Amino acid sequence: MPVKVSVVIPVYNPGAYIEDCIASLRRQSLPPDEFEAIFVDDGSTDDTPARLDAVAAEVENIKVIHQEASGWSGKPRNVGIAASEGEFVMFVDNDDYLGDEALERMYDYAVANGADVVVGKMAGKGRGVPVELFRRNHPRATVDNAPLIDSLTPHKMFRRAFLDRIGLRFPEGRRRLEDHVFVTEAYLRADNVSVLSDYVCYYHLKRDDASNAGFQRFDPVGYFANLREALDVVEKYTEPGKTRDRLFRRWLRNEMVERMRGKRLLSAPEDYRQELFDEIRSVVVERFGPGVAAGLQPTQQVVAALIADGRLDDLVAFAEWEVSVTPTAVPDGVEWDGGVLRIGLSAELASGGTPMTFPARGSKEPLAGPPASVREAVDWVGAHSVAGFGRATVEVLLTERTSSAQFFQPVEFTRETVPADGDDRVRLVLRGTTTVDPATAADGGPLEAGLYDVFVRVKLGGWTKQSRLGPVALKGRTAADAGVAGGRVVLPYWTAKQGTLALDVDTAGKRLELGRLTPGEVAVSGDRVEVPVPFHVPGDTPVLLKLTGGSGTSPRQVPGTLRPKGSAALLEAVLPLGDLGETPWQVALSPAPDAPEPRFHPLPFALRVKDGRVQVTAVRPPRPGVGQRLVRRARPLARKVLARIRARRK
């Protein structure tokens, strides 16, 4: 069968971090005879070459190419392209990994839309990824109708015939931003680019040892020389005007302005800070006209103007003010309503730990030139923020804790201008309610099992500030009863360390508080049993009971129903009395038996049939044995030891 996708992975000393990459390739839903994985080992000096050879000997569709070290990722990627046999080529870094259905979904999406390039949704674990680009699917995306330019990493799928037709390959050698040059030209010359946003295709990781190439300190002279090459591509394939200015704005914003503001600037050593500033200013003065900076957000415009004016000291002072601006998000009720979770909140910006105030009257006056002082810059940003109050927004995202996958949730909100202490000053408070439907909360699909933190994003005055929802004083407590909805058991709770809101999906045990039931609450009438349980259900919900007897007996599974009763639910089931006998049967409940991995939760009582009647007796939950307690205590130490071993291997 023809190869649909060739996955090219440049490799250099990844150590244990390559294991997740290998495992994700072996889990792909695309059949093994329809894709190949080509690892190009660029002169690794650790145990990786032998590890890859062993995998290739075991797995038919995994190939390994060994070459001398070339210094960067460009050459191994090009070698992989040359060796590929697939209709499409997908680039993956050796310390990242793919979603299990990524190749199949991206290939099918490419074929359906005639795409030369497919950009799959990314999740960043410890590192940033584009968020706005992946709000929805874009079957026919361009640099004009979608923020494609925000995603310039190579982790995409490219039609091999397209790469050959335009002769596109990665710049080689020890250099930076080779992916910017490659991807930018692909965007500008492709017949069609498709963005797949309803499935997390790519997991972009920051290593625990922070040794990813993109996190290393770089030589500013060489870096910005390479950046100019990406700007050259834009100039070659666009005409002067709005499109070119908008594309240039991406590099001005991300690679220059953001390095010269906030914590990023303040954390840089002074000598390195000066080197960066000098090189950034040379590019700004040399390559960018006034239309590039004019489209930035107000705070970014100030930074760009100070860069162009050569005022590093004022940039530092402005950064010190900016880092004092933080979002606050206060919860205002968490409750279930007909199978969906409604979360109330109030959000605003704070400065120096107190609510941020603005002048009562705004202004849209453009920044005519560099501000005369930092105070003038702050006042100008404040006036523009007030003028944009009507565009301020609040958004809610669920972030899965293990994978860092993010999912936007619908929010209804109002903007409230509140008088502040002092003359002619106001606050802007955003009050809203977000609705989480477990059946559709993950880009239209159900939430997978895991822990999800609730984040709130405030957009105001050119800032996009994000924080967790909370904190509250009820650390470690549940925020509402568990809900059985969308085939999932979802428990809202306040985290133990911070007191911020999180959702436990299909993993909760003790937090469900089923152990607090008493035999006196269990009602038995003939063969029918009724038990009140602390769950919210939107209506009659099928569940499953598992009855476990002593040795020599087989477990019995009994269908049941959860029915709404007041603020909780009533568990009802018909017992097979003739099958039970006088053996005590411990009872466990699966509230969501149709989940991908249904779980049974033990109930603190046992049932026994004697003289034709059902008796209910209390059962104490088993205490962990000595071995289990030792294992629990050893886990944190084992994680630390493993981290040290990995660090030494590097």
Side-chain angles (χ1 to χ4, degrees):
M1 181 172 291
V3 176
K4 293 179 177 179
V5 183
S6 297
V7 184
V8 173
I9 310 101
V11 178
Y12 181 73
N13 286 356
Y17 289 97
I18 202 169
E19 296 301 331
D20 284 342
C21 180
I22 294 171
S24 76
L25 290 167
R26 301 186 70 169
R27 291 196 304 267
Q28 288 301 300
S29 60
L30 193 66
D33 61 346
E34 295 184 10
F35 79 96
E36 61 180 356
I38 304 172
F39 289 90
V40 183
D41 174 42
D42 197 43
S44 292
T45 58
D46 62 2
D47 296 335
T48 302
R51 169 63 177 144
L52 291 177
D53 288 341
V55 173
E58 178 185 348
V59 184
E60 186 174 354
N61 68 331
I62 291 182
K63 305 174 183 178
V64 182
I65 298 173
H66 299 285
Q67 65 180 31
E68 293 184 1
S70 66
W72 211 251
S73 300
K75 183 174 181 179
R77 289 194 187 110
N78 289 341
V79 168
I81 295 173
S84 66
E85 299 179 5
E87 182 183 353
F88 286 83
V89 178
M90 175 81 192
F91 297 105
V92 176
D93 282 350
N94 60 192
D95 39 23
D96 296 336
Y97 63 92
L98 294 169
D100 294 354
E101 301 173 21
L103 297 182
E104 181 177 19
R105 285 178 180 248
M106 293 176 74
Y107 176 84
D108 290 345
Y109 199 61
V111 172
N113 295 292
D116 290 329
V117 184
V118 178
V119 186
K121 182 176 181 177
M122 303 176 71
K125 299 183 69 175
R127 61 191 308 168
V129 297
V131 175
E132 298 298 330
L133 177 60
F134 300 120
R135 280 183 175 272
R136 61 178 181 84
N137 287 343
H138 296 268
R140 303 197 66 81
T142 69
V143 294
D144 290 313
N145 67 17
L148 283 176
I149 202 65
D150 287 349
S151 180
L152 292 181
T153 62
H155 314 120
K156 299 163 179 60
M157 189 177 285
F158 300 84
R159 189 182 296 272
R160 171 68 189 275
F162 162 68
L163 299 180
D164 291 343
R165 174 169 56 82
I166 68 172
L168 184 59
R169 296 295 186 270
F170 288 91
E172 297 184 2
R174 189 166 182 80
R175 50 162 295 133
R176 296 274 183 167
L177 304 180
E178 81 290 339
D179 47 356
H180 287 208
V181 175
F182 182 94
V183 175
T184 299
E185 183 169 346
Y187 284 160
L188 294 175
R189 301 187 68 185
D191 289 337
N192 184 39
V193 179
S194 296
V195 180
L196 177 63
S197 301
D198 58 8
Y199 180 80
V200 179
C201 298
Y202 195 92
Y203 293 87
H204 202 24
L205 276 66
K206 179 181 179 181
R207 292 188 187 182
D208 295 335
D209 58 6
S211 63
N212 308 72
F215 285 90
Q216 303 306 301
R217 180 166 165 169
F218 58 82
D219 167 38
V221 175
Y223 186 91
F224 289 101
N226 296 152
L227 185 146
R228 287 177 172 89
E229 295 177 37
L231 302 181
D232 291 341
V233 171
V234 175
E235 288 187 342
K236 183 175 181 180
Y237 295 106
T238 65
E239 297 295 328
K242 291 183 179 180
T243 295
R244 179 181 292 181
D245 285 348
R246 185 172 60 254
L247 297 180
F248 275 180
R249 195 172 298 135
R250 184 261 176 229
W251 284 277
L252 173 60
R253 180 185 64 241
N254 291 25
E255 307 297 334
M256 302 177 200
V257 166
E258 290 302 315
R259 296 182 189 277
M260 290 285 110
R261 69 185 291 216
K263 292 181 180 179
R264 203 167 177 186
L265 174 62
L266 298 179
S267 63
E270 289 191 16
D271 57 342
Y272 188 59
R273 185 188 296 172
Q274 185 68 56
E275 286 184 69
L276 279 172
F277 176 77
D278 291 340
E279 290 303 314
I280 287 172
R281 183 171 185 268
S282 68
V283 178
V284 169
V285 173
E286 167 195 326
R287 302 296 292 264
F288 298 146
V292 180
L296 294 173
Q297 299 291 354
T299 51
Q300 295 169 337
Q301 288 188 48
V302 168
V303 173
L306 294 175
I307 291 172
D309 207 33
R311 291 158 57 186
L312 179 56
D313 289 344
D314 281 348
L315 280 171
V316 172
F318 190 74
E320 291 171 343
W321 171 72
E322 271 208 276
V323 297
S324 74
V325 178
T326 57
T328 62
V330 179
D332 182 21
V334 180
E335 62 181 4
W336 289 99
D337 180 12
V340 299
L341 187 65
R342 299 194 186 279
I343 304 169
L345 60 93
S346 298
E348 65 179 309
L349 295 181
S351 179
T354 60
M356 192 169 182
T357 65
F358 302 87
R361 288 171 294 278
S363 171
K364 295 183 179 180
E365 182 179 349
L367 190 64
S373 66
V374 173
R375 181 70 261 170
E376 181 180 298
V378 171
D379 289 342
W380 181 81
V381 170
H384 264 254
S385 299
V386 175
F389 273 5
R391 298 189 301 276
T393 61
V394 62
E395 298 172 322
V396 174
L397 298 93
L398 299 183
T399 300
E400 203 281 315
R401 202 172 291 173
T402 300
S403 67
S404 297
Q406 294 182 307
F407 307 102
F408 283 96
Q409 304 303 304
V411 183
E412 294 182 357
F413 68 93
T414 58
R415 306 175 183 93
E416 182 179 342
T417 303
V418 179
D421 294 336
D423 295 335
D424 296 327
R425 304 290 292 182
V426 296
R427 294 161 48 200
L428 179 67
V429 181
L430 302 166
R431 306 190 191 279
T433 301
T434 186
T435 303
V436 179
D437 183 345
T440 61
D443 293 330
L447 292 172
E448 300 296 332
L451 301 179
Y452 294 78
D453 290 303
V454 180
F455 281 87
V456 177
R457 299 175 80 203
V458 176
K459 290 187 175 182
L460 168 64
W463 288 292
T464 299
K465 299 281 188 175
Q466 180 171 290
S467 70
R468 286 183 169 89
L469 181 59
V472 299
L474 302 173
K475 294 182 179 180
R477 301 283 295 277
T478 58
D481 283 342
V484 183
R488 301 290 187 268
V489 180
V490 180
L491 177 68
Y493 71 98
W494 306 109
T495 58
K497 288 185 177 180
Q498 298 172 316
T500 54
L501 186 62
L503 305 181
D504 184 317
V505 179
D506 281 344
T507 72
K510 290 183 178 179
R511 282 201 190 107
L512 296 178
E513 298 185 343
L514 294 174
R516 299 177 66 179
L517 298 173
T518 64
E521 296 177 275
V522 182
V524 179
S525 177
D527 60 354
R528 298 184 65 84
V529 61
E530 295 182 348
V531 187
V533 290
F535 289 143
H536 167 84
V537 289
D540 288 0
T541 302
V543 297
L544 198 62
L545 292 177
K546 181 166 68 175
L547 308 182
T548 305
S551 60
T553 61
S554 300
R556 309 284 199 271
Q557 290 196 347
V558 179
T561 303
L562 286 178
R563 302 186 190 280
K565 184 176 182 180
S567 60
L570 188 66
L571 168 63
E572 299 179 354
V574 176
L575 301 174
L577 298 185
D579 294 340
L580 300 184
E582 295 190 0
T583 300
W585 296 85
Q586 295 190 12
V587 185
L589 168 65
S590 178
D594 294 330
E597 297 182 10
R599 303 174 70 226
F600 283 89
H601 303 275
L603 301 179
F605 60 85
L607 302 176
R608 181 181 181 184
V609 179
K610 189 172 183 179
D611 298 330
R613 300 181 64 182
V614 178
Q615 298 178 345
V616 183
T617 58
V619 175
R620 289 186 178 182
R623 296 183 63 186
V626 174
Q628 289 176 294
R629 293 197 295 270
L630 290 175
V631 168
R632 289 179 184 176
R633 293 172 184 171
R635 282 173 183 164
L637 178 61
R639 285 194 291 266
K640 291 180 181 178
V641 171
L642 181 58
R644 289 173 184 167
I645 292 173
R646 287 175 174 173
R648 288 172 184 167
R649 287 179 178 174
K650 302 296 171 287

